[in-house]
Amino acid sequence: MRNPIIAALDVPTAERALQLAQQVAPAVGAFKIGMELFTAAGPDMVRQIRGTGVNVFLDLKFHDIPNTVAKAVAAAVRLDVQMLTVHASGGLEMLQAAEKAAEETAYEIGKSPPMVLGVTVLTSLDSNALSGIGLDPNVGRQVRRLANMANTAGLRGLVCSPLEVAELRQTLPRSMQLVTPGIRLSSSPADDQKRTLDPREALAAGANWLVIGRPIYGADNPRAAAEAIFESLQ
Ligand code: C5P
């Protein structure tokens, strides 16, 4: 089977990220680079991580006017990333601009377009927080609304919490790729994740990709940890 593990490189320096990536590369399907590492270490580090031959997921959650997001997406495509995130709450026009920029830039440089993933409602936001910013306080309804908007805009994937996967699977087209954090083996600590699924459960619920951070980079032997997670899926 294709390896669905996306190892989050949630480490503070380029040196540590590169060392971890080289160690773990044969055991994962992609690396996630988030805003801490990108802000500290920049585009060169993305190129170096991509140099391991593994797919890169650039998780910078773009949210701005459509023209600005389109340019940022184009720059990410030129860095040769295979997945990137935008906030679905940026609106239909912003999402369409992001997808168009991904497709056109990829065509220009002769690559396959990366998957532009829509982020619906951050799991740190509850009903109170949503009403505080004037949004529908029903989290599930807000997630569905934004997921449908992302689909209408032509996005091919979404980031969602493990608890949303099964429900979203029922309403979205089968081809929509669902990327899920909050993954824990029953033997590993939950850390600060409140709602987790184990890797098999998440795939059975309909996830396509599993974002896994601390259970891999926090392990004594990150490569062995990633291999054990992959084996648990067979
Ligand atoms: O260490 P852990 O496996 O909890 O890391 C999960 C990764 O997924 C982190 O990079 C975290 O920022 C990200 N994430 C998350 N929950 C969300 C969205 C993203 O844990 N709702």
Side-chain angles (χ1 to χ4, degrees), residues 3 6 9 60 65 68 70 88-89 91 93 95 112-113 117-118 121 135 138 153 157 164 169 183 191 197 206 208 221:
N3 189 324
I6 302 176
L9 299 177
L60 300 181
I65 60 171
T68 302
S89 52
E93 210 187 312
L95 297 176
S112 309
L117 301 168
V121 177
L135 294 176
N138 182 317
E164 290 157 3
R169 249 307 149 235
I183 303 297
D191 304 309
L197 284 184
N208 303 95
N221 183 338

Side-chain angles (χ1 to χ4, degrees), residues 8 10 32 61 123 181-184 193 211-215 217:
D10 292 335
K32 181 169 89 75
K61 300 188 178 68
T123 48
I183 303 297
R184 289 296 181 272
Q193 297 282 10
V211 176
I212 306 180
R214 285 160 288 185
Y217 72 77

Side-chain angles (χ1 to χ4, degrees), residues 86-97:
V86 295
H87 272 289
S89 52
L92 185 65
E93 210 187 312
M94 189 202 85
L95 297 176
Q96 286 168 329

Side-chain angles (χ1 to χ4, degrees), residues 181-201 210-222 224-226 228-230 232:
I183 303 297
R184 289 296 181 272
L185 288 170
S186 46
S187 56
S188 58
D191 304 309
D192 58 350
Q193 297 282 10
K194 304 260 182 310
R195 296 166 298 170
T196 63
L197 284 184
D198 88 13
R200 278 179 83 99
E201 288 170 335
L210 312 173
V211 176
I212 306 180
R214 285 160 288 185
I216 294 176
Y217 72 77
D220 291 338
N221 183 338
I229 294 168
F230 188 52
S232 81

Side-chain angles (χ1 to χ4, degrees), residues 130-142:
L130 287 180
S131 38
I133 47 176
L135 294 176
D136 186 340
N138 182 317
V139 178
R141 206 160 51 206
Q142 183 66 6

